[in-house]
Amino acid sequence: MKYPGCTGTDPVPLSRRELLMRSGGLGGVALSWLLAQDRPAAAAASERTGALLSPHFPARAKYVIQIFLCGGVSHVDTFDYKPELIRSHGKPLTGKGPVDTFFAQPGNLMKSPWEFRRRGESGLWVSDLLPHLGKCADLLTVVRSMVSKSNNHTPATFMMNSGFTMNGFPSMGSWVSYGLGTDNRDLPTFVVLPDPRQLPAGGAINWTAGFLPAAHQGVTFRSKGDPILDLFPAGKTVEHTERASRELLAQIDREFTQRSGDDSVLSARLRSYELAARMQTSVPDAVNLERESPATRELYGLNGTVTAGFGRNCLLARRLVERGVRFVQLFHGGAFGSPRINWDAHEDLQANHSQEAASMDRPVAALLQDLKQRGMLDEGLVLWTTEFGRTPFTQGLNKPGRDHHQHAFTCWMAGAGLRPGIAFGESDEVGYAVGRDPVTTYDLHATVLHLLGLDHKRLTYYHNGIQRRLTDVHGHLVEGLLA
């Protein structure tokens, strides 16, 4: 069969492999192999695919930037001021029943190494560990009564990102992609920006689409070098050859569809390849930070050795949502082990948190300020999350570190539809347990979806006999956070 565009005048005949690889870089994979691999799953697939593409009710926000701090940020050293820790410094914790710790090494209560101050017109308490975020206090909606189901890093991270302590469930970004789609057909709906220093533990499992269609998987942009590997062909291409190759693949796709019928799994794959082709022109523009003014680059700390890496990610996040990307997830902190590149402050809290805050504080504050001055914070959400907090006492006697703690910790939000400059809920006098208005991960997710115009009970996907949802069978809207 003669396919359109094949003139026979190309300088070098193309092999089958070259044809596929030249036809779109990332999208130019071996289509026949994909069909062979996907046919069993496609034949068994019966659930609806694709995005809902419209909210359940009018939305207050149209995008989300989620900043996830790996390792467990200490709430009592950042946003949850506890004068009782100063008064009881060096004493054992009493009156709380059996003390629950991850490593079973409870020490004595330890005051924060940093001073707390009231910040902004709101008077929100923020420690000196985060001076730049302290200046943004009036933009923050702080939740001081978060609780988790696990004090183990990996299950707790899955919990915060997907609503389940087990891996393989769709992440929040995938659910938002499924529910709303994108405002820019030339960029992914859900983009992930890992810490430039290291990938988080588990890598891509943290932003998986799980049982949702593959099109809703998070797309990773690299912080160094090419933002996406294999986006462009390895060698130069002749324009009419590449055009003919695309036309050939499109015709093969149409013929296969005519023979086999509508296949939702294959359709999702083909859409991702079409997106990859469009990204060849959209991505270089989106990631070109040189187009930003010197003042903006300075604001994000791109000229600083410590802040440059995460600063680039924060600035890139703004550029992506500005171009219609629905959900951007930034990871601050990497996998566990030595050297420690995360917030897991077992041995020395002051040294660890000082190191991590130095690269995070200024860029995140710059992101908030930049979004605010552009009028973009009123139409989107910024989330600052971590998997759990840290114990108000030391890990071991006479030691300067804190252990994992899921019974009380802090996250914050900023943006559309929220009450700014407030602290919701509270932990007890030393930050060990929630004292008022506990907020689960389910509740946080339900509230985020609500602000996007999505009812967490109605955003479902039928899988394996169950109507699955981000919030499982739990969760309620935290109305106290809403304006």
Side-chain angles (χ1 to χ4, degrees):
M1 177 181 292
K2 183 174 178 62
Y3 287 97
C6 296
T7 64
T9 59
D10 297 316
V12 180
L14 294 179
S15 68
R16 180 175 177 275
R17 180 184 297 273
E18 288 171 328
L19 166 66
L20 291 167
M21 286 306 298
R22 290 190 178 193
S23 300
L26 180 66
V29 297
L31 182 60
S32 59
W33 181 89
L34 285 171
L35 295 177
Q37 296 296 314
D38 283 347
R39 280 192 72 105
S46 61
E47 54 268 66
R48 177 171 53 86
T49 62
L52 299 179
L53 298 178
S54 62
H56 296 127
F57 44 80
R60 302 191 189 188
K62 67 180 186 181
Y63 71 81
V64 175
I65 298 174
Q66 181 191 10
I67 301 162
F68 186 84
L69 287 76
C70 303
V73 179
S74 173
H75 53 300
V76 296
D77 295 291
T78 51
F79 295 98
D80 197 359
Y81 178 44
K82 296 300 175 188
E84 184 58 35
L85 282 183
I86 300 174
R87 293 188 285 268
S88 301
H89 178 71
K91 299 178 182 178
L93 177 66
T94 58
K96 305 295 181 182
V99 178
D100 184 16
T101 68
F102 184 71
F103 281 104
Q105 299 172 329
N108 292 326
L109 293 169
M110 181 175 73
K111 66 180 181 180
S112 176
W114 298 278
E115 296 288 336
F116 275 76
R117 308 176 194 277
R118 291 191 178 275
R119 314 284 179 159
E121 295 182 4
S122 62
L124 198 68
W125 287 103
V126 184
S127 85
D128 287 347
L129 174 65
L130 305 172
H132 295 281
L133 280 172
K135 295 177 182 178
C136 300
D138 292 338
L139 302 177
L140 307 183
T141 304
V142 178
V143 183
R144 290 181 177 158
S145 52
M146 292 294 305
V147 294
S148 181
K149 293 177 68 174
S150 176
N151 63 355
N152 189 343
H153 287 298
T154 301
T157 297
F158 292 153
M159 186 73 202
M160 181 57 73
N161 288 324
S162 73
F164 291 82
T165 56
M166 298 173 289
N167 65 12
F169 287 86
S171 61
M172 178 163 52
S174 295
W175 278 110
V176 172
S177 172
Y178 167 69
L180 296 175
T182 183
D183 283 340
N184 186 336
R185 64 186 299 272
D186 296 333
L187 287 169
T189 309
F190 174 22
V191 173
V192 180
L193 304 175
D195 192 310
R197 300 172 296 175
Q198 195 178 65
L199 286 173
I205 196 67
N206 291 287
W207 48 89
T208 179
F211 45 73
L212 293 177
H216 304 297
Q217 173 91 5
V219 176
T220 309
F221 280 24
R222 301 195 311 160
S223 301
K224 299 177 182 178
D226 292 336
I228 300 178
L229 291 176
D230 302 322
L231 183 61
F232 299 97
K236 293 182 179 181
T237 61
V238 179
E239 183 178 352
H240 77 268
T241 301
E242 185 169 352
R243 183 173 59 252
S245 301
R246 292 176 189 271
E247 292 173 357
L248 172 58
L249 287 178
Q251 184 160 340
I252 292 173
D253 296 340
R254 287 193 298 268
E255 292 176 357
F256 178 84
T257 301
Q258 290 170 359
R259 292 195 306 270
S260 62
D262 187 26
D263 186 327
S264 61
V265 176
L266 175 62
S267 296
R269 283 294 185 99
L270 296 180
R271 285 196 300 270
S272 70
Y273 303 149
E274 293 166 0
L275 171 62
R278 296 193 298 270
M279 285 166 59
Q280 290 182 338
T281 57
S282 62
V283 168
D285 172 70
V287 302
N288 187 1
L289 305 186
E290 296 299 325
R291 295 190 177 185
E292 298 289 339
S293 69
T296 298
R297 293 168 57 82
E298 178 66 25
L299 177 68
Y300 281 86
L302 268 59
N303 299 322
T305 302
V306 175
T307 54
F310 196 65
R312 282 192 293 270
N313 280 0
C314 287
L315 179 53
L316 179 54
R318 190 221 79 204
R319 291 177 63 86
L320 289 171
V321 297
E322 199 172 33
R323 287 160 172 76
V325 174
R326 185 72 66 181
F327 198 104
V328 180
Q329 186 175 30
L330 293 81
F331 283 85
H332 186 268
F336 304 99
S338 182
R340 198 176 299 281
I341 306 175
N342 51 54
W343 294 79
D344 197 18
H346 290 287
E347 295 85 5
D348 189 331
L349 172 88
Q350 187 168 8
N352 171 268
H353 274 33
S354 294
Q355 168 190 290
E356 295 305 306
S359 61
M360 181 280 300
D361 180 38
R362 180 176 177 179
V364 174
L367 175 62
L368 292 173
Q369 295 164 10
D370 197 13
L371 291 172
K372 177 68 175 177
Q373 69 185 11
R374 292 171 184 269
M376 296 174 61
L377 194 58
D378 295 330
E379 59 184 18
L381 296 174
V382 177
L383 310 180
W384 188 90
T385 59
T386 186
E387 66 262 45
F388 43 59
R390 307 207 77 83
T391 55
F393 45 81
T394 61
Q395 183 177 327
L397 294 172
N398 303 316
K399 300 290 181 65
R402 299 191 193 274
D403 202 353
H404 306 175
H405 194 65
Q406 84 275 27
H407 298 300
F409 64 104
T410 295
C411 295
W412 57 254
M413 310 166 69
L418 295 166
R419 295 171 57 200
I422 65 121
F424 179 85
E426 63 182 33
S427 60
D428 63 23
E429 72 281 6
V430 294
Y432 179 77
V434 169
R436 178 173 56 84
D437 297 324
V439 176
T440 66
T441 302
Y442 307 118
D443 302 332
L444 184 68
H445 288 169
T447 303
V448 171
L449 293 181
H450 173 83
L451 291 168
L452 292 168
L454 296 170
D455 184 340
H456 74 104
K457 294 181 180 179
R458 294 166 59 194
L459 182 65
T460 64
Y461 190 90
Y462 185 79
H463 174 257
N464 201 23
I466 302 174
Q467 287 289 351
R468 290 289 191 184
R469 68 190 209 209
L470 173 62
T471 53
D472 196 12
V473 295
H474 311 284
H476 69 275
L477 173 64
V478 186
E479 295 186 359
L481 300 176
L482 306 183

